[in-house]
Amino acid sequence: RLPDAPEGVKGISLFVVPKFLVNADGTLGARNDAHCVSIEHKLGIKASPTAVLQFGDHGGAIGELVGQPNRGLEYMFVMMNAARFAVGMQGIAVSDRAYQQALAFAKDRLQSRDLAGSPGPVAIIQHPDVKRMLLTMKAHTEAARALAYCTAATSDLAHHSSDEAVRREQQAIYEYLVPIVKGHSTELSIELTSLGVQ
């Protein structure tokens, strides 16, 4: 927050606070007063930890303002929406891989006779309930992927349309759809991997 910032989220600005300050000649200078005091231990993606940072305990941290003052939350949501979309795509990838694995197994695994009374065991993909599970996995994965592609298209139009009104409209649609892509696709991946194990 800058000293004259308005109250609430409207007064948050975005700063880059480096670990080391940079000298005028481009060399690394003194250690900045910014420190990581803990990393949260959580399940999930290990290479992307959430950390607690401490600024200014030993004289004050120095940072550079990014963009305009008091628009930090707006800028942060650009990064957050990109991350949400990427996580949604990861959910789709997990779902699709679960389907691929289940499909390959169902084609190889021999178990029981088919409904026509085959003389011996058949690949389980021939059993109606297994077909139902595989088609459920495939249909839900393709629907989630289609939603993600439509969302990506709105982002493209929001950034590249020659019409300002179209850019604003498509950006609003993108911001509405991104949390749905993230939430739906990741929850779906849990259900579909479970179905794949079944």
Side-chain angles (χ1 to χ4, degrees):
R1 253 180 218 286
L2 294 170
D4 59 347
E7 291 295 317
V9 297
K10 297 281 188 191
I12 296 173
S13 295
L14 179 63
F15 294 87
V16 172
V17 182
K19 183 175 181 179
F20 291 95
L21 300 175
V22 179
N23 296 322
D25 64 0
T27 60
L28 288 183
R31 177 80 162 79
N32 203 358
D33 192 7
H35 302 275
C36 177
V37 294
S38 72
I39 294 178
E40 292 182 23
H41 300 285
K42 60 182 184 176
L43 296 172
I45 301 173
K46 302 296 185 183
S48 182
T50 303
V52 176
L53 299 175
Q54 206 160 5
F55 300 98
D57 273 5
H58 307 288
I62 297 172
E64 293 288 327
L65 180 66
V66 176
Q68 297 176 4
N70 309 323
R71 293 183 64 189
L73 200 60
E74 175 188 342
Y75 299 150
M76 187 268 307
F77 268 100
V78 172
M79 180 273 298
M80 286 300 299
N81 279 334
R84 284 178 177 149
F85 187 80
V87 169
M89 292 304 296
Q90 183 181 24
I92 293 165
V94 168
S95 296
D96 193 46
R97 187 62 178 144
Y99 168 70
Q100 292 172 21
Q101 294 286 89
L103 179 63
F105 180 80
K107 289 177 178 179
D108 289 342
R109 175 75 164 106
L110 301 178
Q111 181 72 42
S112 305
R113 289 183 265 184
D114 65 17
L115 289 178
S118 61
V122 296
I124 64 172
I125 195 168
Q126 295 183 36
H127 299 309
D129 198 45
V130 173
K131 284 183 184 178
R132 177 194 59 80
M133 289 188 285
L134 289 168
L135 289 172
T136 298
M137 294 175 75
K138 183 177 182 179
H140 282 290
T141 301
E142 288 182 1
R145 185 179 286 117
L147 176 63
Y149 286 167
C150 287
T151 303
T154 64
S155 178
D156 287 347
L157 288 169
H159 287 91
H160 302 294
S161 175
S162 58
D163 185 332
E164 175 63 29
V166 170
R167 286 197 305 271
R168 279 195 311 272
E169 176 189 58
Q170 294 300 308
Q171 183 65 29
I173 294 170
Y174 171 77
E175 290 173 2
Y176 176 77
L177 289 175
V178 163
I180 296 170
V181 169
K182 189 259 185 192
H184 176 68
S185 300
T186 54
E187 290 296 318
L188 187 67
S189 70
I190 295 167
E191 292 178 30
L192 297 187
T193 52
S194 178
L195 200 55
V197 169
Q198 179 63 33

